[in-house]
């Protein structure tokens, strides 16, 4: 999905909890430190074409300044209003955000193989 906006994301390491992975990936990708109590799981998506399960969370507080900590993997960071997302966004992520806005906690998604 080069050229499309997404969210900081990653995979679980062996013996790593979901929250540990979320905190690790947030630091590795955007340079911020999260606390467990400041993070909330808001949506679960089953991507049917790949059999992946994606977990989406919201963190309203963090420590540090948001930076592009992986410039070899990401060429731009921007904030967007949830009601005005860019056209060039990963479709599954855009769908998850729409589900979050509508308080839908689970979805199946068929694109983005």
């Amino acid at each position: 999905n080069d050229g499309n906006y997404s969210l900081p994301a990653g995979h679980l390491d062996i013996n790593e909890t979901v929250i540990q992975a979320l905190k690790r990936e947030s630091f590795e990708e955007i340079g911020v430190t999260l606390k467990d109590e400041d993070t909330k799981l808001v949506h679960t998506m089953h991507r049917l074409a790949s059999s992946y399960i994606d977990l989406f969370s919201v963190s309203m507080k963090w420590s540090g300044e948001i930076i592009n900590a992986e410039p070899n993997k990401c060429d731009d960071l921007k904030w967007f209003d949830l009601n005005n997302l860019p056209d060039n966004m990963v479709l599954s992520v855009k769908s998850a955000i729409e589900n979050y806005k509508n308080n839908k906690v689970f979805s199946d998604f068929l694109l983005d193989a």
Side-chain angles (χ1 to χ4, degrees):
N1 278 301
D2 285 348
N4 291 315
Y5 286 100
S6 188
L7 298 170
H11 299 89
L12 293 170
D13 288 342
I14 292 182
N15 295 321
E16 184 176 49
T17 69
V18 169
I19 295 298
Q20 288 169 336
L22 170 67
K23 291 164 53 176
R24 176 182 52 77
E25 291 287 354
S26 295
F27 184 76
E28 288 175 1
E29 294 189 11
I30 59 172
V32 298
T33 302
L34 302 176
K35 292 183 181 178
D36 294 8
E37 62 269 19
D38 295 329
T39 301
K40 178 181 175 185
L41 182 65
V42 295
H43 188 72
T44 301
M45 175 181 283
H46 175 212
R47 279 192 281 151
L48 297 166
S50 63
S51 295
Y52 287 152
I53 300 292
D54 297 321
L55 304 173
F56 294 86
S57 65
V58 171
S59 299
M60 301 306 260
K61 291 170 50 177
W62 56 84
S63 300
E65 184 176 337
I66 293 176
I67 60 166
N68 183 357
E70 293 185 330
N72 58 324
K73 296 181 181 179
C74 173
D75 63 358
D76 190 32
L77 290 180
K78 284 190 179 162
W79 288 100
F80 294 100
D81 184 300
L82 289 180
N83 296 310
N84 191 24
L85 298 173
D87 291 333
N88 63 325
M89 187 163 202
V90 174
L91 293 177
S92 58
V93 172
K94 195 169 196 174
S95 177
I97 291 171
E98 289 301 319
N99 286 319
Y100 163 68
K101 288 171 29 184
N102 292 311
N103 295 310
K104 187 174 178 183
V105 298
F106 177 83
S107 66
D108 289 308
F109 190 82
L110 188 52
L111 299 175
D112 289 349

